[in-house]
Amino acid sequence: MAAIKSAAEAIAGIASGSRIMFGGFGRVGSPETLIAALAEHPADNLTVICNDLGSHNEGLGVLLLQNKIKKAIGSFFTPNPDAAKYYREGKLEIELIPQGNFAEAIRAAGAGLGGFLTPVGVGTELAKGRDVIHFQGREYILQPPLHADYALIRAKVADTLGNLVYSKSGRNFNPIMATAAKCCIAEVDEIVEAGELSPEEIITPFLYVDILVKRGSNDAD
Amino acid sequence: MAAIKSAAEAIAGIASGSRIMFGGFGRVGSPETLIAALAEHPADNLTVICNDLGSHNEGLGVLLLQNKIKKAIGSFFTPNPDAAKYYREGKLEIELIPQGNFAEAIRAAGAGLGGFLTPVGVGTELAKGRDVIHFQGREYILQPPLHADYALIRAKVADTLGNLVYSKSGRNFNPIMATAAKCCIAEVDEIVEAGELSPEEIITPFLYVDILVKRGSNDAD
Amino acid sequence: MLTDEERKERIAKRAAEELADGMVVNLGVGIPTLVANYVAGKKVYLQSENGILGVGPYPKAGEEDKDLINAGRKHVTIVPGASFFDSAQSFGQIRGGHIDCTIIGGLQVSETGDLANWLVPGKDVLGVGGAMDLVVGAPKVIIATQHTTREGEAKIVPTCTLPLTAKQAVDMIITEYAVFRFHGGRLILEEITSDFSLADLRSVTTARYEISPELKVRVV
Amino acid sequence: MLTDEERKERIAKRAAEELADGMVVNLGVGIPTLVANYVAGKKVYLQSENGILGVGPYPKAGEEDKDLINAGRKHVTIVPGASFFDSAQSFGQIRGGHIDCTIIGGLQVSETGDLANWLVPGKDVLGVGGAMDLVVGAPKVIIATQHTTREGEAKIVPTCTLPLTAKQAVDMIITEYAVFRFHGGRLILEEITSDFSLADLRSVTTARYEISPELKVRVV
């Protein structure tokens, strides 16, 4: 069952050095209120697990410019020119994973799997440092799961238990990240009573969600 | 895009020796119209991939009594006493997989994975014949994916493209089986126009579905 | 001599005390199912591995929904806030440790916490269901079982002789006479019922176990 | 001399001819995106790896939905029968071979069908996106690219010198002058445009290729 908190309260426990997942694909599905709260929070030396790093001074780009991000694990950091700059200057470590392997590794963590065999990336530079396994006649990378301390996600509507539904392409990495962290904090537009969402349409069942934050509860929007 | 056919037409191409997935958990979510059509169809020597074999002369139990099933791969064949009888008499091969590994193996097939590392079953009889892998400090079974020639599934409503929604606990193995076979045949109560199902509530996108059959189109119900 | 019903009721009642507000629990078939009868007043949510979070009470006769059963194939209802999902997602919840507790039956539990509960001796190997997944995945695994077999043989044993469900997976054993917990791999007796002596218990328990310095006597 | 726009239009038009009614296609950024302009009259469904099946045309200015973008981060609309899903499901569709065709750009294609399209020389390795997944997963991989680099260097080469996206993954190459297909691991020239000679083509293509006995000339 989820607790309802302000953005600042929700992220208050996040310590320096934490591993944090951030949902979103570009700005869509990005927990902007929570990111704004993190910008006001002292935690640094963070490892962020996210598809991208937003853009210049936008989304996670804000935290990057604050030198709070030690390492980024994801698939597409190109749209934020600061990522390249910080990387070149040795201020940012990057672990690049093909987007589908990245998504699947997050899901695997949430589903208690020890890893999976993927044909994607075999024979490329991104196979370096990975275990390569021959199984049933084909070559695969053994991709380990991606776990985190926190998942900061964005949904559209929550019920008071913490069940979530999303909006359009805002779903992206949010439902899988919700499953893969010790603590899942969901930023939502609206919180309704339990029972108001149809049992057939709930995408994230409440057992994954620890804290609900109303969007804009830090005047971030 | 899915074609709409009668049950008999839909299954007409199924040959002896085929590997067929059947959705359902007990009777709930079981494609009963399609099973009834198969009972009238000459194909035998089938390998069925299904959680259970129904009950005596019910569900897949009907095909079992017709000696059409050579092998069953699944997790819980206990409720059908004929399964034990046929197994003892050497008329039925059984491959038993823990239910979660079974579900995940079907999903893995649909998602193009070569297998996955599961902690479930390690140290048990069901690990026999499996590869056991030590990875990141823990012992896992390397479970290969489960593919099939056909998936015979049951949903509640389809649209004309083949998008599907399910009913309550009738979802069970159906959405994952839809992804894991060369040909997916879905038995549904109702077919509506494309656009009538909400894009947020569609569980099985149409690209997985080849043939739609209206439930009862063989007078099976 | 306790009747079978009395034994089961005792076990279920005691197991229910382990459940706290907000917990998500998966109950196995048999005695564990009865636990639901004793959680009134607590907000405990039941997961059923066939794809339901938020299982409610059994429906009244005539009000069954044909598409709504639990993993024991019984018709059920749902509570507000319930949701449905497919089997891969369901076992993702289970294997991923998102179900707080599973209460499940046992044929044998070893003194190192191994569990055997899926293969009845002399019967064919035709069903494993979700037992292995539940026992490996749940952070808290409670075995709710009668203390001995119908034939009076110990079920809490030095080593399982029946095929294993999982190794070192059990956290707690609740029987009609006793409560045991595993601490650091050692089996500790924590409670005994007032109608059973320590000597009685020893005589029906072949596993080695220690007696907690804070042993409780449960008045029955 | 063709303008950049003319080259792109030619490539996109020709690539669109590969698409048939009922196909599900994923279009990469750049030239592949333009293919959508030439499929009118065909029921082709576009998948976008950020979680949409059934992408529609770009919205009119002022009618953008802030929650609805494609993988190129452009606002889009959806068609009737579209659906949304998460990224793991999306790449399950892609890796599992359920997207019939992907049309994607290329920096280099080797004569054995290797593709390099993610790492621009001299730039930092900061983005791979879904390219590797798409190229490995799709049953039909079409590379839609200008025939040479801006500097006039061959892109269809004996061996990729840039870091690979995938090995032996390409089925077809469409440029402003030619169409090549891989058959049994061999690169075959199947079409050439009427404004380009075989000698011209050879001079800008360093890969070894065979000329199909049924070579078509495409009048442009």
Side-chain angles (χ1 to χ4, degrees):
Chain A
M1 275 192 300
I4 301 173
K5 299 189 178 181
S6 74
E9 287 166 350
I11 59 118
I14 296 183
S16 290
S18 294
R19 257 171 95 88
I20 313 179
M21 290 178 172
F22 291 88
F25 188 103
R27 288 192 66 166
V28 178
S30 171
E32 295 179 325
T33 301
L34 296 173
I35 292 172
L38 267 180
E40 305 288 316
H41 182 70
D44 61 7
N45 205 27
L46 304 174
T47 294
V48 301
I49 299 172
C50 48
N51 180 60
D52 54 76
L53 280 168
S55 337
H56 172 69
N57 208 21
E58 227 186 66
L60 287 176
V62 175
L63 304 186
L64 182 66
L65 289 181
Q66 291 184 322
N67 291 301
K68 288 183 169 172
I69 301 179
K70 182 184 73 166
K71 182 175 181 180
I73 303 173
S75 86
F76 200 59
F77 302 121
T78 320
N80 186 343
D82 300 329
K85 183 168 170 290
Y86 276 56
Y87 175 73
R88 242 180 283 122
E89 295 170 359
K91 296 200 288 196
L92 175 68
E93 295 168 48
I94 294 273
E95 181 178 338
L96 213 57
I97 307 179
Q99 196 167 132
N101 289 357
F102 175 69
E104 190 69 19
I106 294 164
R107 180 190 175 277
L113 301 174
F116 57 90
L117 304 189
T118 173
V120 177
V122 170
T124 75
E125 283 195 5
L126 297 188
K128 278 183 196 161
R130 301 270 181 221
D131 294 276
V132 173
I133 288 196
H134 288 79
F135 188 57
Q136 299 191 327
R138 200 170 164 188
E139 204 173 354
Y140 297 101
I141 290 173
L142 171 48
Q143 169 71 48
L146 277 170
H147 292 272
D149 299 311
Y150 294 89
L152 271 48
I153 67 162
R154 167 111 169 82
K156 189 180 183 197
V157 185
D159 69 20
T160 49
L161 287 175
N163 289 303
L164 303 178
V165 297
Y166 299 84
S167 175
K168 305 188 181 76
S169 64
R171 212 180 286 191
N172 57 65
F173 296 92
N174 288 299
I176 48 177
M177 288 181 171
T179 72
K182 287 176 206 146
C183 176
C184 171
I185 308 174
E187 170 179 337
V188 299
D189 287 351
E190 193 186 349
I191 301 172
V192 301
E193 288 303 311
E196 287 190 41
L197 298 173
S198 154
E200 302 282 4
E201 73 172 319
I202 289 167
I203 299 299
T204 296
F206 69 83
L207 47 55
Y208 293 116
V209 181
D210 298 287
I211 303 175
L212 295 174
V213 171
K214 276 275 285 268
R215 183 167 172 78
S217 67
N218 267 19
D219 299 327
D221 212 18
Chain B
M1 277 191 297
I4 301 173
K5 298 189 179 180
S6 75
E9 287 166 350
I11 59 117
I14 296 183
S16 290
S18 294
R19 258 170 95 88
I20 313 179
M21 292 179 170
F22 291 88
F25 188 103
R27 288 193 66 165
V28 178
S30 170
E32 296 179 325
T33 301
L34 295 173
I35 292 172
L38 267 180
E40 307 287 317
H41 182 69
D44 61 8
N45 205 27
L46 303 175
T47 294
V48 301
I49 299 173
C50 47
N51 180 61
D52 54 74
L53 279 169
S55 336
H56 171 69
N57 208 21
E58 226 184 68
L60 288 176
V62 175
L63 303 186
L64 182 66
L65 290 181
Q66 292 184 321
N67 291 301
K68 289 184 170 173
I69 302 179
K70 182 184 74 167
K71 181 175 180 180
I73 303 173
S75 85
F76 200 60
F77 302 121
T78 321
N80 187 343
D82 299 328
K85 183 168 171 290
Y86 275 57
Y87 175 72
R88 243 180 282 121
E89 295 170 358
K91 296 200 288 197
L92 176 68
E93 295 169 47
I94 295 274
E95 181 179 338
L96 213 58
I97 306 180
Q99 196 167 133
N101 289 358
F102 175 68
E104 190 69 18
I106 294 165
R107 180 190 175 278
L113 301 173
F116 57 90
L117 304 189
T118 173
V120 176
V122 170
T124 75
E125 283 195 7
L126 298 189
K128 278 182 196 158
R130 301 270 181 220
D131 294 276
V132 173
I133 288 195
H134 289 79
F135 188 58
Q136 300 192 327
R138 200 169 165 189
E139 204 172 355
Y140 297 101
I141 290 173
L142 171 48
Q143 169 72 47
L146 277 170
H147 292 271
D149 299 312
Y150 293 90
L152 271 48
I153 67 162
R154 168 113 167 81
K156 188 179 183 199
V157 184
D159 69 18
T160 48
L161 287 176
N163 289 303
L164 303 177
V165 297
Y166 299 85
S167 176
K168 305 188 180 76
S169 63
R171 212 179 286 191
N172 57 64
F173 296 91
N174 288 299
I176 48 177
M177 287 180 172
T179 72
K182 287 176 207 148
C183 176
C184 171
I185 307 174
E187 170 179 337
V188 299
D189 288 350
E190 194 187 348
I191 301 172
V192 300
E193 287 302 312
E196 287 191 40
L197 298 173
S198 155
E200 301 282 5
E201 72 173 318
I202 289 167
I203 299 299
T204 296
F206 69 83
L207 47 56
Y208 293 117
V209 182
D210 298 287
I211 303 174
L212 295 174
V213 171
K214 276 276 286 265
R215 183 166 171 81
S217 68
N218 267 19
D219 299 327
D221 212 21
Chain C
M1 189 69 177
L2 294 169
T3 65
D4 233 40
E5 287 316 300
E6 286 166 337
R7 287 171 205 269
K8 288 178 181 174
E9 189 188 310
R10 271 197 190 183
I11 297 166
K13 260 187 177 163
R14 178 60 189 82
E17 292 178 17
E18 294 300 307
L19 304 182
D21 255 7
M23 277 176 81
V24 176
V25 185
N26 184 300
L27 301 177
V29 291
I31 297 174
T33 306
L34 304 175
V35 175
N37 299 337
Y38 303 102
V39 294
K42 286 186 223 177
K43 281 186 182 159
V44 168
Y45 293 87
L46 302 180
Q47 197 255 20
S48 189
E49 65 265 32
N50 58 323
I52 312 170
L53 176 63
V55 176
Y58 295 114
K60 288 178 198 152
E63 294 182 10
E64 297 87 356
D65 182 323
K66 69 177 176 38
D67 288 340
L68 191 47
I69 60 169
N70 65 12
R73 298 182 173 209
K74 298 271 188 292
H75 285 284
V76 291
T77 60
I78 55 169
V79 300
S83 56
F84 302 115
F85 30 82
D86 69 43
S87 299
Q89 290 186 50
S90 180
F91 282 94
Q93 295 173 12
I94 289 168
R95 199 188 310 102
H98 306 285
I99 310 294
D100 299 303
C101 175
T102 186
I103 305 177
I104 198 165
L107 297 170
Q108 290 181 329
V109 181
S110 83
E111 61 192 37
T112 55
D114 295 350
L115 172 67
N117 80 341
W118 69 284
L119 219 176
V120 183
K123 295 222 180 152
D124 292 312
V125 192
L126 287 181
V128 60
M132 290 188 180
D133 310 270
L134 281 160
V135 168
V136 170
K140 183 166 182 172
V141 174
I142 300 176
I143 306 304
T145 177
Q146 298 203 29
H147 205 92
T148 64
T149 65
R150 272 173 213 287
E151 294 73 31
E153 281 164 20
K155 300 179 84 168
I156 306 172
V157 295
T159 309
C160 294
T161 53
L162 297 173
L164 292 187
T165 304
K167 282 188 165 176
Q168 298 181 352
V170 176
D171 295 290
M172 197 171 177
I173 310 168
I174 297 176
T175 78
E176 67 273 43
Y177 297 124
V179 174
F180 295 88
R181 244 183 254 269
F182 286 90
H183 281 291
R186 287 145 53 222
L187 180 61
I188 316 282
L189 174 68
E190 297 207 329
E191 284 182 33
I192 189 165
T193 54
S194 55
D195 59 346
F196 217 58
S197 74
L198 282 170
D200 289 341
L201 192 73
R202 189 64 79 181
S203 72
V204 291
T205 312
T206 56
R208 276 171 301 183
Y209 57 88
E210 300 169 33
I211 297 172
S212 167
E214 285 142 34
L215 180 72
K216 282 187 208 153
V217 176
R218 188 176 173 85
V219 180
V220 287
Chain D
M1 189 73 178
L2 293 168
T3 66
D4 235 40
E5 287 316 301
E6 286 166 338
R7 287 171 206 269
K8 289 178 181 172
E9 190 189 308
R10 271 198 190 183
I11 298 166
K13 260 188 177 163
R14 178 61 188 82
E17 292 178 17
E18 294 299 307
L19 304 182
D21 254 8
M23 278 176 80
V24 176
V25 185
N26 184 300
L27 301 177
V29 292
I31 297 174
T33 306
L34 304 176
V35 175
N37 300 337
Y38 303 102
V39 293
K42 287 187 223 174
K43 283 188 182 158
V44 168
Y45 294 88
L46 302 180
Q47 197 256 20
S48 189
E49 65 264 32
N50 58 322
I52 312 170
L53 176 63
V55 176
Y58 295 115
K60 288 179 199 152
E63 294 182 8
E64 297 87 357
D65 182 325
K66 69 176 175 39
D67 289 339
L68 191 47
I69 60 170
N70 65 12
R73 297 182 174 212
K74 297 272 187 295
H75 285 285
V76 291
T77 60
I78 54 169
V79 299
S83 56
F84 302 116
F85 30 82
D86 69 42
S87 299
Q89 291 185 51
S90 180
F91 282 94
Q93 296 173 11
I94 289 168
R95 200 189 307 102
H98 306 285
I99 309 295
D100 299 303
C101 175
T102 186
I103 304 177
I104 198 163
L107 297 171
Q108 290 181 330
V109 181
S110 83
E111 61 192 36
T112 56
D114 296 352
L115 172 67
N117 80 341
W118 69 285
L119 218 176
V120 183
K123 295 222 179 152
D124 292 314
V125 192
L126 288 180
V128 60
M132 289 188 181
D133 310 271
L134 281 160
V135 168
V136 170
K140 183 166 183 173
V141 174
I142 300 175
I143 306 304
T145 177
Q146 297 203 30
H147 204 94
T148 64
T149 66
R150 271 174 214 287
E151 294 74 32
E153 283 164 19
K155 300 179 85 169
I156 307 172
V157 295
T159 309
C160 294
T161 54
L162 297 173
L164 292 187
T165 303
K167 282 188 166 177
Q168 299 180 353
V170 176
D171 295 290
M172 197 171 176
I173 310 167
I174 297 176
T175 77
E176 67 273 42
Y177 298 124
V179 175
F180 296 88
R181 244 183 254 268
F182 286 90
H183 281 290
R186 285 146 54 222
L187 181 59
I188 316 282
L189 174 69
E190 296 206 330
E191 283 181 33
I192 187 164
T193 53
S194 55
D195 60 346
F196 218 57
S197 73
L198 282 170
D200 289 340
L201 192 73
R202 189 65 78 181
S203 72
V204 291
T205 313
T206 57
R208 276 172 299 184
Y209 57 87
E210 300 169 32
I211 297 172
S212 167
E214 285 142 35
L215 179 72
K216 282 187 207 156
V217 175
R218 188 176 174 84
V219 179
V220 287

